[in-house]
Amino acid sequence: MAEVEAKSEDKPEKPKVPYEVKAGLFLSTAAGLGLLAGFGSALASAKKQDPKSFDAGMIGVDASAKQKMAHARHLHETGASLATRALGYGTLYAFTGCGILFFSIWKLMGVNNLTEFRDKCGGILPKIPKNNPPQSRTEFSGLNDLLQYIIDKDKEEKAMKQKSKES
């Protein structure tokens, strides 16, 4: 017995990763994949619309060609620099717009800290009714069980509406 306990004490315990870290990592991964898919589809769409200009933008221009093209109608920008500039402007507009919106709401409410803000919002917004004790099922064995429950409830409600129309 003592040997088994000694062996288990020798093994270092792996640190547990908190749930919040796992959830944050999952959401970050999902958002990153979504951004990557969106950017890829936008690039594919741009290439499909005008392949010649797209290729010229992807290759870029060297210094001697820049002087020749300076007199041309317009100068192509590489796709990466155009995307970086667009991302920068979009980020700036999003942060500025949201900041102005949140700051104006804060000032219009006339609050000084988050506790006051929560109290004022709690007074303005409708209260969420407590479901205690629950009026229907709250535990399901799986997704199929939940969907079947929703279908059955919907059928019951339709039958009750039909009865009330007939009476």
Side-chain angles (χ1 to χ4, degrees):
M1 268 310 219
E3 289 179 21
V4 174
E5 289 177 14
K7 286 182 182 179
S8 64
E9 289 176 8
D10 292 341
K11 291 182 183 177
E13 256 187 60
K14 291 183 182 177
K16 289 188 178 182
V17 179
Y19 174 76
E20 290 82 12
V21 173
K22 290 179 184 177
L25 185 62
F26 171 75
L27 290 175
S28 299
T29 303
L33 290 174
L35 284 171
L36 185 64
F39 187 71
S41 64
L43 280 177
S45 173
K47 185 172 184 171
K48 188 175 182 180
Q49 287 178 355
D50 193 3
K52 185 177 177 184
S53 294
F54 182 83
D55 290 339
M58 288 300 286
I59 294 169
V61 181
D62 61 348
S64 62
K66 275 188 181 179
Q67 292 174 352
K68 292 177 185 176
M69 291 185 69
H71 301 292
R73 223 167 72 184
H74 59 83
L75 182 63
H76 284 289
E77 202 173 349
T78 65
S81 65
L82 180 64
T84 303
R85 190 164 42 100
L87 181 63
Y89 280 128
T91 303
L92 176 71
Y93 293 152
F95 273 92
T96 304
C98 288
I100 290 171
L101 175 70
F102 300 149
F103 183 74
S104 60
I105 290 171
W106 183 273
K107 286 300 178 184
L108 286 173
M109 291 181 82
V111 296
N112 295 321
N113 56 33
L114 286 175
T115 307
E116 290 178 22
F117 180 76
R118 194 191 86 201
D119 292 339
K120 274 206 170 178
C121 285
I124 295 170
L125 297 173
K127 297 199 184 312
I128 298 173
K130 300 282 185 202
N131 191 15
N132 195 10
Q135 304 298 319
S136 58
R137 284 181 62 185
T138 58
E139 298 293 325
F140 301 96
S141 62
L143 186 60
N144 288 338
D145 189 25
L146 171 65
L147 293 175
Q148 188 60 47
Y149 173 74
I150 293 171
I151 291 168
D152 294 341
K153 273 295 204 189
D154 187 51
K155 286 180 182 177
E156 288 175 16
E157 288 177 9
K158 285 181 181 178
M160 290 178 72
K161 284 183 183 178
Q162 191 69 20
K163 273 187 179 179
S164 65
K165 283 184 181 180
E166 291 175 359
S167 340

